[in-house]
């Protein structure tokens, strides 16, 4: 049974920073494409950033330069460093893992950015 356990959400003022972490149980991590998605109230879930098993990253344009995704294979953990946060970044952030098209989701910590 694979589990993705996230941490690091919370309340922050605009311009501040947060780091989300997603720890993966099981043996999938080294093979998995990992990503972060987010879903704001009344909006569809959208991808924020992804990182392949080889470390190649991609970002949604609006997050480039503000968000950084990384992975630590020794800890089976993927991170999302979020800087210069804006109120429109307020959302539930979900960790995502894709291993040979088998998809896993984390529980989704809330990130709230106050103006």
């Amino acid at each position: 049974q694979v589990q993705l356990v996230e941490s690091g959400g919370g309340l922050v003022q605009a311009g501040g920073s947060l780091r989300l972490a997603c720890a993966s149980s099981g043996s999938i991590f080294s093979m998995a494409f990992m990503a972060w998605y987010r879903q704001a109230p009344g909006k569809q879930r959208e991808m924020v950033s992804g990182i392949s098993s080889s470390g190649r990253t991609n970002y949604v344009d609006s997050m480039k330069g503000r968000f950084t995704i990384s992975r630590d294979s020794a800890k089976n953990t993927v991170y999302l460093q979020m800087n210069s946060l804006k109120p429109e970044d307020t959302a539930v952030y979900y960790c995502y893992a894709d291993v040979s098209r088998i998809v896993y989701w984390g529980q989704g910590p809330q990130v709230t950015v106050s103006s």
Side-chain angles (χ1 to χ4, degrees), residues 5-8 19-23 33-38 45-51 58 60 63 67-70 77-82 92-97 105-106 108-109:
V5 179
E6 298 137 323
S7 60
R19 188 176 79 156
L20 303 181
C22 172
F33 171 82
M34 305 294 295
W36 289 94
Y37 281 72
R38 71 184 186 185
R45 190 173 297 190
E46 63 173 351
M47 185 174 174
V48 172
S49 180
I51 184 166
N58 58 70
V60 172
M63 286 75 163
F67 291 8
T68 302
I69 192 170
S70 61
T77 299
V78 63
Y79 302 96
L80 184 68
Q81 177 68 42
M82 304 185 291
V92 177
Y93 283 71
Y94 296 93
C95 181
Y96 166 100
W105 290 96

Side-chain angles (χ1 to χ4, degrees), residues 6-114:
E6 298 137 323
S7 60
L11 173 65
V12 65
Q13 288 187 331
S17 298
L18 282 175
R19 188 176 79 156
L20 303 181
C22 172
S24 166
S25 67
S27 58
I28 69 162
F29 188 81
S30 62
M31 301 177 289
F33 171 82
M34 305 294 295
W36 289 94
Y37 281 72
R38 71 184 186 185
Q39 188 166 19
K43 295 187 177 181
Q44 289 188 328
R45 190 173 297 190
E46 63 173 351
M47 185 174 174
V48 172
S49 180
I51 184 166
S52 71
S53 57
S54 63
R56 181 173 294 182
T57 61
N58 58 70
Y59 299 89
V60 172
D61 286 345
S62 61
M63 286 75 163
K64 286 181 180 178
R66 298 192 300 124
F67 291 8
T68 302
I69 192 170
S70 61
R71 63 193 295 161
D72 184 336
S73 297
K75 296 181 179 180
N76 289 346
T77 299
V78 63
Y79 302 96
L80 184 68
Q81 177 68 42
M82 304 185 291
N83 299 327
S84 302
L85 283 161
K86 305 174 182 179
E88 50 264 43
D89 293 318
T90 294
V92 177
Y93 283 71
Y94 296 93
C95 181
Y96 166 100
D98 181 343
V99 184
S100 300
R101 300 186 180 180
I102 299 174
V103 172
Y104 306 91
W105 290 96
Q107 78 280 10
Q110 174 71 44
V111 171
T112 302
V113 184
S114 63

